[in-house]
Amino acid sequence: MAVPRQLPNAITIVRILCAPVFLWMLLADGGADGPLRWWAAVLFIVAIGTDGIDGYLARRHDIVTDLGKLLDPIADKALTGVAFVGLSILGELPWWVTIVVLVREVGITVYRFIVVSDHVLAAAWMGKLKTVAQAVALSLALTPLATLIDNPVWAGAVWWVNVVTMSIAVLLTIASGIDYIVTEVRAARSRRTAS
């Protein structure tokens, strides 16, 4: 069955539009573990899950576009960025974590726009791994799992899982940022040598 050529990009744009709605839901009741918090977590998980869907459709039906390569990582950064900010506003995540992540994400995004007339900086494998790690860590941090069972051992286990997954996500964020810089410096040297 033929897939409309713009469907993957449309899914990506919807993911971008979900970001402010998700943030409102997360902050609306002050981060209380009520229905809005659960719905915010569900919206985040569904929206970030569409990242795999739009990429799969684009590759499967050979409709990968430069616009898609540009918008896809921006959509991921918009959604994960507001999640990091929201968790820090609520006091559930240290601000230094959010700042480190945002500096990397904004820096790479700005660089993408700077070089877009020369070449499209598509997501590398480490960048994709970073996105998966962030998605898992944020999904766990957003979902109030500790409230499911009224037990301090359970709450402690949930806390440790959150710390470990978030630490992995932050380390991969830093490592993938360094990987992008190294790759671009090498590519620039190759272009200068070839010309």
Side-chain angles (χ1 to χ4, degrees):
M1 182 177 77
V3 169
R5 183 160 181 77
Q6 292 305 319
L7 180 59
N9 290 346
I11 293 171
T12 302
I13 291 167
V14 168
R15 189 158 70 253
I16 294 171
L17 296 175
C18 282
V21 177
F22 153 75
L23 185 62
W24 175 83
M25 292 172 75
L26 179 64
L27 300 178
D29 61 359
D33 297 333
L36 268 178
R37 176 63 180 254
W38 282 96
W39 281 112
V42 168
L43 178 59
F44 176 85
I45 292 166
V46 170
I48 202 72
T50 65
D51 181 34
I53 295 169
D54 59 10
Y56 169 79
L57 289 173
R59 287 185 301 276
R60 174 81 171 82
H61 298 280
D62 196 26
I63 49 177
V64 175
T65 64
D66 282 348
L67 179 63
K69 288 180 190 175
L70 187 66
L71 284 181
D72 187 63
I74 290 171
D76 297 336
K77 287 170 177 51
L79 194 58
T80 57
V82 297
F84 279 108
V85 169
L87 288 169
S88 290
I89 288 171
L90 295 174
E92 297 177 22
L93 187 67
W95 273 106
W96 72 263
V97 171
T98 298
I99 290 167
V100 166
V101 170
L102 291 182
V103 165
R104 183 269 187 214
E105 302 294 27
V106 171
I108 295 295
T109 301
V110 168
Y111 183 73
R112 272 194 169 94
F113 281 113
I114 290 170
V115 301
V116 73
S117 62
D118 182 44
H119 66 282
V120 174
L121 181 62
W125 71 269
M126 193 180 290
K128 292 177 182 178
L129 185 61
K130 175 269 308 178
T131 301
V132 170
Q134 286 182 356
V136 170
L138 288 168
S139 296
L140 290 171
L142 290 165
T143 309
L145 296 173
T147 63
L148 289 178
I149 300 173
D150 187 18
N151 180 300
V153 174
W154 169 256
V158 169
W159 184 83
W160 275 109
V161 167
N162 286 343
V163 167
V164 169
T165 55
M166 192 61 72
S167 298
I168 291 168
V170 171
L171 288 173
L172 282 171
T173 299
I174 295 167
S176 66
I178 293 169
D179 180 59
Y180 273 117
I181 293 168
V182 170
T183 301
E184 281 298 293
V185 167
R186 286 179 181 160
R189 283 182 187 159
S190 296
R191 285 192 295 271
R192 279 198 304 270
T193 305
S195 59

